[in-house]
Amino acid sequence: DTAVSQTPKYLVTQMGNDKSIKCEQNLGHDTMYWYKQDSKKFLKIMFSYNNKELIINETVPNRFSPKSPDKAHLNLHINSLELGDSAVYFCASSQVADTGELFFGEGSRLTVL
Amino acid sequence: AQSVAQPEDQVNVAEGNPLTVKCTYSVSGNPYLFWYVQYPNRGLQFLLKYITGDNLVKGSYGFEAEFNKSQTSFHLKKPSALVSDSALYFCALGGSSNTGKLIFGQGTTLQVKP
């Protein structure tokens, strides 16, 4: 039973399109995250939600809009996709902020053509 | 400002030999330090963490890490490497703001050769 699941796993789209990535965790965790991994494998946090409340927004362009309908779900919607948005997007969750380990999904590879 | 660095892009070891993957950090206050492993086309998996207490932390798959406050380091070690340990390893720093935010190092590719 997958702990943190993301869909879709792969996404290929044209510049200017809008796309969404969904994430669900069944661990009962309070905090969920979106991380971006670029082509050089560098990982950077984008957003964090705690109990549906946004607590981190790391100067991500406002074309990116996270939505958390409940604490088990955190979706990422991206408007007007650009070539530079191509990356692997990882959803993660944790029970305890700062000291608790993150549980990551398998990633969603977005390719913008 | 907080930061974490992994000075080696790649580490090569022979199977059966000990391995070390280096990590150094910079933080004001007490660091919370983590190691994660990423296999190809997979998400990151937690290996171990240091919050407080014993400087030698034991984790999954036989890995351990040594916290050294004076050298601001948290190197990952394993006494005997396996080919299956070949993967991308990330050191991460947390604990700044109670938000769960982790700052990741650049990653080190570990290649274990038979």
Side-chain angles (χ1 to χ4, degrees):
Chain A
D1 199 17
T2 306
V4 181
S5 58
Q6 301 177 223
T7 54
K9 193 174 173 73
Y10 299 98
L11 196 50
V12 180
T13 189
Q14 300 286 332
M15 266 176 35
N17 284 352
D18 304 338
K19 289 294 176 186
S20 293
I21 306 172
K22 295 184 177 181
C23 178
E24 175 182 4
Q25 55 97 0
N26 62 7
L27 298 167
H29 289 167
D30 290 331
T31 309
M32 295 185 72
Y33 312 80
W34 279 109
Y35 277 82
K36 179 180 179 180
Q37 187 173 44
D38 64 21
S39 58
K40 295 184 179 180
K41 305 294 185 184
F42 184 68
L43 270 164
K44 188 173 180 188
I45 192 168
M46 299 173 69
F47 301 104
S48 170
Y49 271 74
N50 182 273
N51 271 322
K52 303 192 295 176
E53 181 184 347
L54 180 67
I55 54 173
I56 295 176
N57 182 339
E58 286 286 304
T59 60
V60 177
N62 58 15
R63 298 182 295 103
F64 290 79
S65 52
K67 284 189 173 53
S68 182
D70 56 60
K71 75 173 193 176
H73 295 84
L74 180 61
N75 304 323
L76 183 66
H77 187 77
I78 315 170
N79 290 325
S80 304
L81 280 156
E82 300 177 357
L83 292 176
D85 297 332
S86 295
V88 182
Y89 293 85
F90 285 101
C91 178
S93 71
S94 68
Q95 179 56 24
V96 179
D98 278 5
T99 61
E101 57 264 38
L102 268 61
F103 290 75
F104 283 83
E106 297 281 281
S108 296
R109 182 178 294 276
L110 172 65
T111 303
V112 183
L113 303 174
Chain B
Q2 293 189 122
S3 65
V4 59
Q6 294 177 240
E8 301 154 318
D9 287 337
Q10 182 156 328
V11 170
N12 297 311
V13 298
E15 188 174 32
N17 283 1
L19 69 88
T20 298
V21 182
K22 295 180 180 177
C23 173
T24 59
Y25 67 90
S26 174
V27 68
S28 55
N30 294 323
Y32 298 152
L33 293 157
F34 302 79
W35 275 102
Y36 286 83
V37 60
Q38 184 179 24
Y39 297 100
N41 299 313
R42 303 294 299 276
L44 278 72
Q45 296 177 34
F46 170 79
L47 281 179
L48 50 80
K49 67 180 178 183
Y50 172 83
I51 304 299
T52 186
D54 195 348
N55 289 342
L56 185 63
V57 179
K58 294 191 183 296
S60 307
Y61 312 120
F63 284 93
E64 57 189 28
E66 186 169 10
F67 172 69
N68 188 315
K69 189 172 184 177
S70 62
Q71 296 185 5
T72 61
S73 67
F74 189 57
H75 300 332
L76 182 70
K77 300 181 180 185
K78 187 173 182 181
S80 179
L82 299 171
V83 173
S84 57
D85 292 330
S86 298
L88 181 59
Y89 290 81
F90 288 97
C91 182
L93 174 66
S96 64
S97 58
N98 200 33
T99 61
K101 172 183 174 181
L102 290 184
I103 298 171
F104 283 88
Q106 309 93 305
T108 298
T109 298
L110 173 65
Q111 187 74 37
V112 181
K113 297 187 177 177

